[in-house]
Short mmCIF file of all heavy atoms in Angstrom, two decimals:
data_model
loop_
_atom_site.label_atom_id
_atom_site.label_comp_id
_atom_site.label_asym_id
_atom_site.label_seq_id
_atom_site.Cartn_x
_atom_site.Cartn_y
_atom_site.Cartn_z
N LEU L 1 -77.04 -18.54 -75.05
CA LEU L 1 -78.02 -19.63 -75.15
C LEU L 1 -77.34 -20.97 -74.83
O LEU L 1 -76.37 -21.36 -75.49
CB LEU L 1 -78.60 -19.68 -76.58
CG LEU L 1 -79.34 -18.44 -77.08
CD1 LEU L 1 -79.77 -18.63 -78.52
CD2 LEU L 1 -80.53 -18.13 -76.19
N THR L 2 -77.82 -21.62 -73.80
CA THR L 2 -77.32 -22.95 -73.45
C THR L 2 -78.23 -24.01 -74.11
O THR L 2 -79.23 -23.68 -74.74
CB THR L 2 -77.27 -23.16 -71.93
OG1 THR L 2 -78.60 -22.90 -71.40
CG2 THR L 2 -76.28 -22.18 -71.29
N ASP L 3 -77.86 -25.28 -73.94
CA ASP L 3 -78.60 -26.39 -74.58
C ASP L 3 -78.73 -26.14 -76.09
O ASP L 3 -79.75 -26.46 -76.69
CB ASP L 3 -80.03 -26.55 -73.98
CG ASP L 3 -79.98 -26.97 -72.53
OD1 ASP L 3 -79.48 -28.10 -72.27
OD2 ASP L 3 -80.44 -26.19 -71.67
N SER L 4 -77.69 -25.60 -76.69
CA SER L 4 -77.76 -25.18 -78.10
C SER L 4 -76.54 -25.68 -78.87
O SER L 4 -75.63 -24.92 -79.20
CB SER L 4 -77.84 -23.64 -78.18
OG SER L 4 -79.02 -23.16 -77.55
N PRO L 5 -76.53 -26.97 -79.24
CA PRO L 5 -75.40 -27.51 -79.98
C PRO L 5 -75.41 -27.07 -81.44
O PRO L 5 -76.42 -27.18 -82.15
CB PRO L 5 -75.62 -29.03 -79.87
CG PRO L 5 -77.08 -29.20 -79.65
CD PRO L 5 -77.54 -28.01 -78.86
N VAL L 6 -74.28 -26.57 -81.90
CA VAL L 6 -74.12 -26.19 -83.30
C VAL L 6 -73.70 -27.42 -84.10
O VAL L 6 -72.76 -28.13 -83.75
CB VAL L 6 -73.04 -25.10 -83.43
CG1 VAL L 6 -72.76 -24.79 -84.90
CG2 VAL L 6 -73.49 -23.83 -82.69
N THR L 7 -74.39 -27.68 -85.18
CA THR L 7 -74.14 -28.86 -85.99
C THR L 7 -73.61 -28.54 -87.39
O THR L 7 -73.02 -29.40 -88.03
CB THR L 7 -75.41 -29.73 -86.13
OG1 THR L 7 -76.45 -28.95 -86.72
CG2 THR L 7 -75.85 -30.24 -84.78
N ARG L 8 -73.85 -27.32 -87.87
CA ARG L 8 -73.40 -26.94 -89.21
C ARG L 8 -72.95 -25.50 -89.26
O ARG L 8 -73.50 -24.66 -88.56
CB ARG L 8 -74.53 -27.14 -90.24
CG ARG L 8 -75.04 -28.55 -90.40
CD ARG L 8 -74.06 -29.43 -91.14
NE ARG L 8 -73.77 -29.00 -92.48
CZ ARG L 8 -74.52 -29.32 -93.55
NH1 ARG L 8 -75.59 -30.06 -93.41
NH2 ARG L 8 -74.18 -28.90 -94.75
N LEU L 9 -71.97 -25.23 -90.11
CA LEU L 9 -71.66 -23.86 -90.50
C LEU L 9 -72.51 -23.51 -91.72
O LEU L 9 -72.76 -24.35 -92.59
CB LEU L 9 -70.18 -23.72 -90.84
CG LEU L 9 -69.20 -24.06 -89.70
CD1 LEU L 9 -67.75 -23.89 -90.20
CD2 LEU L 9 -69.42 -23.21 -88.48
N LEU L 10 -72.97 -22.27 -91.78
CA LEU L 10 -73.83 -21.85 -92.89
C LEU L 10 -73.07 -20.95 -93.85
O LEU L 10 -72.18 -20.19 -93.46
CB LEU L 10 -75.03 -21.06 -92.34
CG LEU L 10 -75.91 -21.79 -91.32
CD1 LEU L 10 -77.06 -20.89 -90.89
CD2 LEU L 10 -76.43 -23.10 -91.87
N TYR L 11 -73.44 -21.07 -95.11
CA TYR L 11 -72.82 -20.26 -96.13
C TYR L 11 -73.88 -19.58 -96.99
O TYR L 11 -74.99 -20.11 -97.17
CB TYR L 11 -71.93 -21.12 -97.05
CG TYR L 11 -70.72 -21.67 -96.37
CD1 TYR L 11 -70.80 -22.82 -95.57
CD2 TYR L 11 -69.49 -21.03 -96.48
CE1 TYR L 11 -69.70 -23.31 -94.91
CE2 TYR L 11 -68.37 -21.53 -95.83
CZ TYR L 11 -68.46 -22.69 -95.04
OH TYR L 11 -67.38 -23.17 -94.41
N ALA L 12 -73.58 -18.41 -97.49
CA ALA L 12 -74.41 -17.72 -98.47
C ALA L 12 -73.50 -17.15 -99.53
O ALA L 12 -72.54 -16.43 -99.23
CB ALA L 12 -75.21 -16.62 -97.80
N LYS L 13 -73.77 -17.51 -100.78
CA LYS L 13 -72.94 -17.05 -101.91
C LYS L 13 -71.46 -17.34 -101.68
O LYS L 13 -70.61 -16.54 -102.02
CB LYS L 13 -73.17 -15.57 -102.15
CG LYS L 13 -74.63 -15.23 -102.52
CD LYS L 13 -74.81 -13.73 -102.74
CE LYS L 13 -76.27 -13.42 -103.09
NZ LYS L 13 -76.50 -11.98 -103.29
N GLY L 14 -71.19 -18.52 -101.09
CA GLY L 14 -69.82 -18.95 -100.89
C GLY L 14 -69.11 -18.37 -99.69
O GLY L 14 -67.96 -18.68 -99.43
N HIS L 15 -69.81 -17.54 -98.90
CA HIS L 15 -69.19 -16.91 -97.74
C HIS L 15 -69.81 -17.45 -96.45
O HIS L 15 -71.03 -17.68 -96.40
CB HIS L 15 -69.36 -15.39 -97.80
CG HIS L 15 -68.66 -14.75 -98.96
ND1 HIS L 15 -67.31 -14.55 -99.00
CD2 HIS L 15 -69.15 -14.28 -100.15
CE1 HIS L 15 -66.97 -13.98 -100.15
NE2 HIS L 15 -68.09 -13.81 -100.86
N LEU L 16 -68.98 -17.60 -95.45
CA LEU L 16 -69.47 -18.04 -94.14
C LEU L 16 -70.49 -17.04 -93.62
O LEU L 16 -70.24 -15.83 -93.59
CB LEU L 16 -68.28 -18.14 -93.15
CG LEU L 16 -68.55 -18.81 -91.83
CD1 LEU L 16 -68.97 -20.25 -92.02
CD2 LEU L 16 -67.29 -18.73 -90.97
N ASP L 17 -71.65 -17.57 -93.22
CA ASP L 17 -72.77 -16.68 -92.95
C ASP L 17 -73.44 -16.94 -91.59
O ASP L 17 -74.43 -16.29 -91.26
CB ASP L 17 -73.81 -16.83 -94.06
CG ASP L 17 -74.83 -15.70 -94.05
OD1 ASP L 17 -74.45 -14.56 -94.13
OD2 ASP L 17 -76.05 -16.02 -93.95
N GLY L 18 -72.95 -17.88 -90.80
CA GLY L 18 -73.56 -18.17 -89.51
C GLY L 18 -73.52 -19.66 -89.20
O GLY L 18 -72.69 -20.39 -89.73
N VAL L 19 -74.45 -20.09 -88.33
CA VAL L 19 -74.44 -21.48 -87.88
C VAL L 19 -75.87 -22.01 -87.76
O VAL L 19 -76.83 -21.24 -87.62
CB VAL L 19 -73.74 -21.60 -86.50
CG1 VAL L 19 -72.30 -21.13 -86.59
CG2 VAL L 19 -74.49 -20.84 -85.41
N LEU L 20 -75.96 -23.33 -87.79
CA LEU L 20 -77.22 -24.04 -87.54
C LEU L 20 -77.17 -24.70 -86.18
O LEU L 20 -76.20 -25.41 -85.87
CB LEU L 20 -77.48 -25.08 -88.62
CG LEU L 20 -78.66 -26.04 -88.39
CD1 LEU L 20 -79.98 -25.28 -88.50
CD2 LEU L 20 -78.62 -27.21 -89.38
N VAL L 21 -78.19 -24.49 -85.36
CA VAL L 21 -78.31 -25.11 -84.05
C VAL L 21 -79.43 -26.10 -84.11
O VAL L 21 -80.55 -25.80 -84.55
CB VAL L 21 -78.61 -24.06 -82.96
CG1 VAL L 21 -78.78 -24.72 -81.60
CG2 VAL L 21 -77.48 -23.01 -82.89
N GLU L 22 -79.15 -27.33 -83.65
CA GLU L 22 -80.18 -28.38 -83.62
C GLU L 22 -80.34 -28.84 -82.17
O GLU L 22 -79.50 -29.56 -81.63
CB GLU L 22 -79.80 -29.55 -84.52
CG GLU L 22 -79.79 -29.13 -86.00
CD GLU L 22 -79.54 -30.29 -86.92
OE1 GLU L 22 -78.35 -30.67 -87.06
OE2 GLU L 22 -80.48 -30.83 -87.51
N LYS L 23 -81.47 -28.44 -81.56
CA LYS L 23 -81.73 -28.72 -80.15
C LYS L 23 -82.54 -30.02 -80.01
O LYS L 23 -83.09 -30.53 -80.99
CB LYS L 23 -82.49 -27.56 -79.52
CG LYS L 23 -81.76 -26.22 -79.56
CD LYS L 23 -82.50 -25.13 -78.85
CE LYS L 23 -82.49 -25.33 -77.36
NZ LYS L 23 -82.92 -24.12 -76.63
N PRO L 24 -82.60 -30.55 -78.80
CA PRO L 24 -83.45 -31.74 -78.60
C PRO L 24 -84.89 -31.51 -79.00
O PRO L 24 -85.36 -30.37 -78.97
CB PRO L 24 -83.34 -31.98 -77.09
CG PRO L 24 -82.04 -31.33 -76.68
CD PRO L 24 -81.91 -30.14 -77.58
N GLY L 25 -85.56 -32.55 -79.37
CA GLY L 25 -86.97 -32.42 -79.73
C GLY L 25 -87.16 -31.88 -81.14
O GLY L 25 -88.18 -31.24 -81.45
N ASP L 26 -86.18 -32.16 -82.03
CA ASP L 26 -86.29 -31.75 -83.43
C ASP L 26 -86.52 -30.25 -83.58
O ASP L 26 -87.18 -29.81 -84.51
CB ASP L 26 -87.44 -32.51 -84.14
CG ASP L 26 -87.15 -34.00 -84.19
OD1 ASP L 26 -85.99 -34.36 -84.36
OD2 ASP L 26 -88.10 -34.79 -84.03
N HIS L 27 -85.97 -29.47 -82.67
CA HIS L 27 -86.10 -28.02 -82.77
C HIS L 27 -84.76 -27.44 -83.23
O HIS L 27 -83.73 -27.70 -82.65
CB HIS L 27 -86.50 -27.41 -81.43
CG HIS L 27 -86.55 -25.91 -81.47
ND1 HIS L 27 -87.34 -25.23 -82.34
CD2 HIS L 27 -85.86 -24.97 -80.78
CE1 HIS L 27 -87.19 -23.93 -82.16
NE2 HIS L 27 -86.28 -23.75 -81.22
#
């Protein structure tokens, strides 16, 4: 996926669980 900047690392129960992508247009 292009045009997909990662802005945060995600955690669940203290463990790294993925990432948050915030694209243009508040998506």
Side-chain angles (χ1 to χ4, degrees):
L1 300 176
T2 56
D3 295 297
S4 297
V6 174
T7 58
R8 297 289 298 274
L9 300 180
L10 303 181
Y11 292 81
K13 299 180 180 178
H15 296 284
L16 191 62
D17 194 56
V19 300
L20 172 68
V21 177
E22 294 185 281
K23 299 184 72 166
D26 297 323
H27 176 59

